[in-house]
Amino acid sequence: MKPEIRKAAEILRAGGLVAFPTETVYGLGADASNAGAVARLYATKRRPADHPVIVHFGSKEKAFSWAREVPTGARQLAERFWPGPLTLILKRSALAKDFITGGQDTVGLRVPSHPVARGLLEMFQGGIAAPSANRFGLVSPTTAAHVREDLGDDVDLVLEGGPSEVGIESTIVDLSTGAALLLRPGAISRGDLAQLLNVKEARLSSPRHSGGLERHYAPRTPARLVSTHDLDKEIEKLKQRVAVLAFSRPDERVDYWLRMPRNPEGYARRLYAALRELDTAGCETILVEAPPDAPEWAAVRDRLQKACAAR
Ligand code: TXA
Ligand code: MG
């Protein structure tokens, strides 16, 4: 792995794009200080320019040097959850340029825990801007093969790191306003955060963060969320070819059925690969059995609601 990582760091220094594994999903990385590299990153993702990217670092000291104010709450969260699946939004320092923040006065910072990501950040030393390594709005990649399918030759190198362990994007907490706002739920839950500070749910629909867009993380096949109670009825009604993502056993009337784990961690880990698989099953509709309405399912529910939102 060492020579591959060295090559990846060289590509980043030269302004190239490297996809790399993190514990959440695979990221598409560019040197966060290089305007040209970040412009290529946006073009490759087909991402609107006002949509900020998260900057990844090898240590919290490095990460916090990109913020001009680090509130106590941010230090506590970093101490407890970094390296790990948490992104903090803070007021930016002069290091975080407009091309990273979408022109906003804040910056998203994260210290990932995946060993390959850590090796790359250690070798590169600087900040790596990295959105999920998929085209904008579609399902995030959780394997190197997903990245190659999505981005092909548009990326200079894809580092292999096995399937992402968490499977959904990091929890995002905005600490730039005095209060603590949960912008995107993730594996680190509101309950986990509440042990350190009180976090309010952001109820806004805004393009500032992916979670703010109603339709996101979406397969190409139209998908619908249905309650456990309605699943049977919906299957009966549909005359089209249908693919189902559910907790229960396959139903013989259904063309393609994927059974999901009953625990939220296992479900999150499998979710994006499952959506990709259902999307290529040649069906006209995807039905998704809604997970329980309980706090530990909040992050999975959020992704499913967005995957199933009206287009
Ligand atoms: O788990 C993750 O966070 C993955 C891996 C690769 O680290 N990255 C990821 O990046 O999900 P992306 O770009 O797909 O989503 C990050 C979200 C974006 O929607 C962006 O708008 C939001 O974080 N974000 C970044 N900086 C922000 C800021 N200054 N204010 C508000 N939202 C911000
Ligand atoms: Mg994304």
Side-chain angles (χ1 to χ4, degrees):
M1 205 67 223
K2 223 19 189 305
E4 276 293 283
I5 290 179
R6 184 166 297 122
K7 190 167 140 205
E10 277 162 20
I11 290 170
L12 290 175
R13 276 188 210 107
L17 301 182
V18 172
F20 62 98
T22 86
E23 68 280 16
T24 57
V25 299
Y26 275 66
L28 180 63
D31 178 353
S33 305
N34 180 333
V38 174
R40 198 181 141 203
L41 176 68
Y42 273 72
T44 301
K45 272 226 47 139
R46 304 196 185 124
R47 184 178 188 138
D50 64 351
H51 206 109
V53 284
I54 296 173
V55 191
H56 299 66
F57 297 90
S59 72
K60 53 179 182 300
E61 292 73 26
K62 281 221 169 75
F64 285 153
S65 72
W66 282 53
R68 68 173 183 277
E69 272 172 40
V70 184
T72 314
R75 286 197 196 283
Q76 289 172 326
L77 290 181
E79 199 58 49
R80 170 77 180 75
F81 296 112
W82 279 353
L86 175 70
T87 295
L88 300 177
I89 308 294
L90 298 176
K91 290 191 177 125
R92 65 170 167 179
S93 76
L95 294 170
K97 309 284 195 241
D98 281 346
F99 58 78
I100 282 295
T101 71
Q104 300 182 70
D105 195 34
T106 55
V107 62
L109 306 170
R110 167 157 135 74
V111 178
S113 63
H114 192 290
V116 174
R118 291 178 65 72
L120 178 62
L121 286 159
E122 179 61 31
M123 188 77 80
F124 180 65
Q125 286 290 310
I128 301 179
S132 48
N134 53 296
R135 308 269 188 217
F136 190 69
L138 298 177
V139 179
S140 297
T142 52
T143 67
H146 292 163
V147 178
R148 284 190 212 97
E149 282 160 28
D150 287 358
L151 301 180
D153 290 340
D154 292 351
V155 47
D156 299 312
L157 181 72
V158 182
L159 286 175
E160 177 61 64
S164 295
E165 204 172 307
V166 174
I168 55 173
E169 304 79 356
S170 59
T171 304
I172 304 183
V173 181
D174 183 350
L175 290 153
S176 69
T177 64
L181 285 178
L182 183 65
L183 296 189
R184 181 172 73 185
I188 296 174
S189 70
R190 248 178 104 180
D192 299 332
L193 298 165
Q195 294 172 0
L196 296 175
L197 78 174
N198 185 27
V199 179
K200 281 200 282 285
E201 194 117 11
R203 280 258 160 263
L204 41 128
S205 192
S206 127
R208 289 176 65 201
H209 52 101
S210 297
L213 293 174
E214 263 159 29
R215 187 180 152 72
H216 212 82
Y217 319 114
R220 292 184 169 86
T221 313
R224 264 194 302 138
L225 259 183
V226 295
S227 68
T228 304
H229 177 265
D230 291 343
L231 186 59
D232 185 65
K233 216 167 45 198
E234 290 292 328
I235 291 170
E236 190 56 47
K237 264 200 328 222
L238 275 174
K239 298 290 169 264
Q240 308 163 311
R241 283 176 58 82
V242 59
V244 171
L245 191 68
F247 295 103
S248 45
R249 278 174 204 296
D251 178 314
E252 60 200 16
R253 293 166 298 175
V254 168
D255 302 287
Y256 205 92
W257 187 288
L258 278 184
R259 201 173 171 189
M260 294 297 278
R262 287 190 183 271
N263 66 82
E265 294 77 24
Y267 195 111
R269 191 174 302 134
R270 281 209 53 196
L271 176 59
Y272 289 149
L275 287 178
R276 281 165 184 268
E277 189 178 334
L278 293 176
D279 213 10
T280 55
C283 292
E284 285 141 301
T285 303
I286 296 172
L287 293 180
V288 179
E289 180 180 0
D293 193 10
E296 64 272 23
W297 286 91
V300 163
R301 259 202 326 275
D302 170 75
R303 301 313 191 276
L304 288 176
Q305 276 158 1
K306 280 168 184 132
C308 296
R311 53 195 69 219

